[in-house]
Amino acid sequence: MKVDEQLFTRLIDENKDKLFRMCCYYVADEESRKDLYQEALINIWKGFKTYRGEASYLTWMLRITVNAALKFISKERSYQKKGKQFANEQRLEVEDHDLQMEYVHLLQKAINQLPLVDMIIISLFLEETSSKEIAKITGLTDSNVRVRVHRAKAQLKKLIEGGEL
């Protein structure tokens, strides 16, 4: 089966920001994010000709990106160092771009503290993926996804407010 390069290019162009942000949830430094994103794109390209249409293209690409991230972090997880500065930093007013980016980084660190399945679920939730689509990606039930989102949010709040990063 021949790969439709125009369709592939259009789908990547339309979803590149969302796919890259998914990579950002799993790795902290910019070079690793780029490496993971590239790996995800390669895997999407390799699997594109075997796409069966059982899910939307976006759901399918997110699933591939999550799988690439899981492989990547299983090899790279040891790099993570947790800072104790969060308790003080979270009380600052978020007005400028640099500070906003610092908060995004702190949220990513908190997400990295979650159990793996919850990390996947909350990262998809932050990308405004419906619980139904998250269920398809993870293989969980829709109700289980909603419960896990609720619990993950509570855990993130505890991590952030408690300065446990």
Side-chain angles (χ1 to χ4, degrees), residues 36-53:
L36 174 54
Y37 179 69
Q38 187 68 33
E39 185 67 28
L41 291 181
I42 290 168
N43 290 346
I44 291 168
W45 172 254
K46 287 178 180 177
F48 198 71
K49 63 183 167 205
T50 60
Y51 172 74
R52 296 181 300 223

Side-chain angles (χ1 to χ4, degrees), residues 86-102:
F86 188 78
N88 294 330
E89 293 169 343
Q90 71 157 359
R91 292 181 179 92
L92 299 173
E93 290 296 320
V94 180
E95 294 179 14
D96 66 44
H97 179 72
D98 290 340
L99 210 46
Q100 289 174 352
M101 293 312 296
E102 192 170 328

Side-chain angles (χ1 to χ4, degrees), residues 11 51 53-63 133 136:
L11 289 169
Y51 172 74
E54 295 172 0
S56 71
Y57 278 116
L58 178 58
T59 299
W60 178 77
M61 291 188 301
L62 286 170
R63 184 180 302 143
E133 289 297 306
K136 286 180 186 177

Side-chain angles (χ1 to χ4, degrees), residues 83-142:
K84 293 290 183 181
Q85 301 171 345
F86 188 78
N88 294 330
E89 293 169 343
Q90 71 157 359
R91 292 181 179 92
L92 299 173
E93 290 296 320
V94 180
E95 294 179 14
D96 66 44
H97 179 72
D98 290 340
L99 210 46
Q100 289 174 352
M101 293 312 296
E102 192 170 328
Y103 283 110
V104 168
H105 178 70
L106 293 171
L107 177 61
Q108 290 166 345
K109 287 172 73 174
I111 290 170
N112 283 328
Q113 292 288 314
L114 297 174
L116 192 56
V117 173
D118 292 341
M119 183 179 8
I120 294 166
I121 290 169
I122 204 70
S123 62
L124 290 166
F125 173 80
L126 289 171
E127 288 302 317
E128 299 178 356
T129 307
S130 71
S131 60
K132 186 176 179 179
E133 289 297 306
I134 295 171
K136 286 180 186 177
I137 292 168
T138 60
L140 300 170
T141 64
D142 186 37

Side-chain angles (χ1 to χ4, degrees), residues 54-75:
E54 295 172 0
S56 71
Y57 278 116
L58 178 58
T59 299
W60 178 77
M61 291 188 301
L62 286 170
R63 184 180 302 143
I64 290 173
T65 303
V66 166
N67 287 338
L70 295 176
K71 284 182 182 178
F72 191 89
I73 62 174
S74 71
K75 295 176 185 173

Side-chain angles (χ1 to χ4, degrees), residues 4 6-7 14 21 26 30 32 35 37 41 68 77-78 81 88 93 97-98 109 114 124-125 129 133 138 145 149 161:
D4 184 342
Q6 288 181 329
L7 176 60
E14 290 172 0
R21 281 192 308 269
Y26 296 97
E30 191 65 26
S32 292
D35 290 345
Y37 179 69
L41 291 181
R77 193 130 195 180
S78 63
K81 304 284 182 205
N88 294 330
E93 290 296 320
H97 179 72
D98 290 340
K109 287 172 73 174
L114 297 174
L124 290 166
F125 173 80
T129 307
E133 289 297 306
T138 60
V145 167
V149 166
E161 291 177 354

Side-chain angles (χ1 to χ4, degrees), residues 121-122 125 134 144-154:
I121 290 169
I122 204 70
F125 173 80
I134 295 171
N144 192 317
V145 167
R146 290 192 306 270
V147 167
R148 284 177 171 264
V149 166
H150 178 74
R151 289 180 183 163
K153 287 166 130 181

